[in-house]
Amino acid sequence: MIGSMDFDHALFRADLDALPWPSYGHAYGSAEDVPGCLRALAGDDDAAADEAQSELYGSILHQGSVYEASAQAVPFLARIAAADIRTADVLLLIGGIAEGGEDPSPEAADGPPAEAGDGSPAEAGDGLPARVGGEAGESDEVACRRAVVAQLPLLLRVLDHQDRAVRQAAAWAAGWTGAAGAAAAVPALRDRA
């Protein structure tokens, strides 16, 4: 359940620093600012976290558009939500990224998208992916949808959270995983309804 995972700030920072953020793009160019925003979002300073959330909405989910940095940020956002830090807000951001994404074409997929914990992307010590690997030639929109689908185990676990806002945010985010996430999301959402 949400909150049962210990949030290792040092490991989180190390995993953030391991990625080449300046080489990723977002609405304003280089995504070199994204790690700082994610650190602030996970931090204890509410004002800094609010500002970071606003910055992330403006850069990695700019007016509904998503970018390479958006897909790369999803596993980190999921780690923040899993630690029960600003959970509803973070789930809404993840859902917005899913909404801005699109399903991979059936011709492009040889199988289901990678699931969290299957060893495909490099994994953080807490069992959640530290980064997202996109398919060759894949659009940012498809990479974003894949990144959120990989986090469905987390989204679906919180459908029973004690906080109604968290439950609603989780259902909304899971609902935006489209056909790529339907096999897992639809039965869980039906059961919850």
Side-chain angles (χ1 to χ4, degrees):
M1 183 54 125
I2 279 280
S4 64
M5 183 182 90
D6 290 328
F7 191 77
D8 184 335
H9 285 275
L11 179 60
F12 184 79
R13 286 189 300 273
D15 289 342
L16 277 171
D17 293 343
L19 295 181
W21 291 99
S23 70
Y24 303 141
H26 63 40
Y28 299 105
S30 169
E32 64 190 320
D33 59 332
V34 171
C37 289
L38 291 169
R39 283 185 194 95
L41 189 63
D44 295 330
D45 182 334
D46 286 338
D50 286 342
E51 184 175 332
Q53 181 178 327
S54 178
E55 290 291 322
L56 289 169
Y57 269 102
S59 61
I60 66 171
L61 184 59
H62 183 75
Q63 298 179 354
S65 295
V66 293
Y67 308 88
E68 182 180 21
S70 313
Q72 298 299 329
V74 166
F76 294 100
L77 292 167
R79 288 165 71 177
I80 293 167
D84 215 8
I85 301 169
R86 303 176 65 85
T87 308
D89 293 335
V90 173
L91 290 171
L92 291 173
L93 182 54
I94 292 170
I97 292 170
E99 180 182 13
E102 63 184 45
D103 287 327
S105 67
E107 303 82 42
D110 293 317
E115 290 291 326
D118 75 353
S120 49
E123 292 196 13
D126 54 20
L128 295 172
R131 60 185 160 86
V132 176
E135 303 287 326
E138 182 173 76
S139 72
D140 293 340
E141 293 80 11
V142 170
C144 286
R145 181 68 55 88
R146 283 187 193 277
V148 176
V149 168
Q151 300 306 319
L152 268 173
L154 166 73
L155 300 177
L156 299 177
R157 275 198 315 257
V158 297
L159 290 174
D160 292 323
H161 193 277
Q162 70 270 8
D163 185 331
R164 181 179 182 193
V166 171
R167 291 191 310 267
Q168 290 174 328
W172 182 80
W176 278 110
T177 59
V186 170
L189 291 172
R190 257 194 214 130
D191 287 349
R192 182 64 191 151

